[in-house]
Amino acid sequence: MSLFHRTLASLGLGGARVETVLETEVLIPGQALPVRIEVKGGKVAQAVDNVHVYLCCSFEDEQAVSRGDSERRMEKVTRTHTLAQWQLPQAFTLGAGEERQFDCQFELPLNTPITIGYSGVWLETHLDVPSALDPKDKDALTVRPDPMLDGVFTALEHAGLRILQVECEAVRGFELPFVQVFEFVPVSGPFHGRWRELELITQRDDDCLRLWFSIDRRQRGVGGLLSGLLGSSELKRQLSVPLNLSPSEAGERVLRYLEQVDDL
């Protein structure tokens, strides 16, 4: 019976289990991510070499595909990127039915995507169990803007701009293989009737918040509005906002910039 149980455990049946409990419901990039990792033994004792934690997100990319003829077409694909990874370098043996708990605290990277629209962020926890399928747990995260970016969004909203769509899109030349694109439409205020759409990319550095803008004034489809910029080696129309400003001051600076720019 013991051999039978060990065989099942090696296949991931009746073996150890892991569950990650989030200590907070809402997370902000750059702040602490407190978690509690609970490990529960199965029907037999098992060695655990390590506990790995991965912070992951998804983004949209394009790849060439063949449909059986000579023509190759570009199709959208969803890719996964690991934003950060941590480990608990603590090997231990987990007895049958034994429970262990680890309280951990990790730092959420500054450019973790905000989880609105189609942007997903999650935490994966894996047990490194030799000669067996690694038990794992997956937990979706709720990530909100940091105070400065929230100040920018608040100012745009007060100026009559509403978020239409948010996506993480593949790009080159940035720290990450993607950028998060925020699409706004003017429904009232000073930009209503002047713009069709505003697209915004943000990136946090240690000393400032960087923003790139694209404005569509033409009555045409919005698809690919930012594709020319994303495909170039340098994104123009950049505004750097120092971190010593308050959130409201950051929002006011962005609005002044948008009002002064005549031809984005």
Side-chain angles (χ1 to χ4, degrees):
M1 180 65 69
S2 178
L3 176 61
F4 177 69
H5 284 158
R6 286 199 297 270
T7 302
L8 289 179
S10 70
L11 298 174
L13 303 174
R17 293 177 298 160
V18 62
E19 182 178 356
T20 302
V21 180
L22 303 177
E23 299 289 354
T24 180
E25 294 183 358
V26 178
L27 303 167
I28 296 177
Q31 294 188 357
L33 167 60
V35 299
R36 185 174 72 252
I37 299 174
E38 299 176 350
V39 184
K40 300 179 180 180
K43 294 183 179 299
V44 296
Q46 288 181 287
V48 178
D49 283 353
N50 217 323
V51 181
H52 299 274
V53 182
Y54 303 91
L55 178 66
C56 306
C57 69
S58 59
F59 67 95
E60 297 299 314
D61 197 0
E62 289 188 341
Q63 68 178 15
V65 296
S66 176
R67 297 188 176 276
D69 51 23
S70 58
E71 185 179 356
R72 296 177 66 84
R73 301 175 179 86
M74 300 301 295
E75 287 191 356
K76 273 196 170 186
V77 294
T78 301
R79 303 194 187 279
T80 296
H81 178 71
T82 300
L83 293 159
Q85 60 185 56
W86 308 277
Q87 61 179 353
L88 307 180
Q90 180 179 354
F92 57 93
T93 298
L94 191 66
E98 181 184 0
E99 297 185 6
R100 291 206 182 193
Q101 179 177 304
F102 303 92
D103 292 314
C104 312
Q105 185 167 284
F106 311 114
E107 183 176 325
L108 209 64
L110 288 174
N111 290 299
T112 300
I114 309 305
T115 53
I116 55 178
Y118 296 101
S119 303
V121 179
W122 65 93
L123 204 65
E124 288 190 12
T125 307
H126 296 240
L127 294 185
D128 186 0
V129 179
S131 303
L133 294 176
D134 290 345
K136 62 182 179 180
D137 184 39
K138 181 176 179 179
D139 300 273
L141 302 182
T142 300
V143 184
R144 292 293 179 251
D146 61 47
M148 177 164 285
L149 184 55
D150 188 57
V152 173
F153 288 162
T154 299
L156 294 175
E157 182 179 2
H158 288 167
L161 293 158
R162 298 290 182 268
I163 290 183
L164 175 66
Q165 183 171 299
V166 182
E167 287 187 324
C168 291
E169 301 180 11
V171 67
R172 295 181 181 179
F174 277 73
E175 176 184 354
L176 298 175
F178 66 89
V179 290
Q180 189 167 30
V181 183
F182 301 88
E183 298 182 11
F184 294 83
V185 291
V187 296
S188 62
F191 306 113
H192 184 56
R194 295 168 51 192
W195 300 351
R196 190 180 191 280
E197 182 184 84
L198 167 71
E199 288 190 341
L200 169 66
I201 292 174
T202 69
Q203 179 174 296
R204 262 290 305 273
D205 294 335
D206 291 333
D207 57 348
C208 69
L209 170 66
R210 302 185 191 279
L211 306 103
W212 291 266
F213 303 90
S214 179
I215 292 174
D216 184 14
R217 293 186 176 90
R218 293 168 288 181
Q219 299 300 313
R220 62 171 176 79
V222 299
L225 174 63
L226 208 57
S227 59
L229 292 176
L230 294 178
S232 65
S233 60
E234 180 183 358
L235 282 172
K236 298 183 179 179
R237 310 308 180 192
Q238 174 184 336
L239 174 66
S240 295
V241 180
L243 299 183
N244 59 2
L245 296 183
S246 68
S248 60
E249 290 171 335
E252 292 170 1
R253 179 167 297 194
V254 169
L255 289 182
R256 287 198 302 269
Y257 175 83
L258 293 175
E259 291 167 354
Q260 292 170 359
V261 173
D262 186 48
D263 184 25
L264 277 173

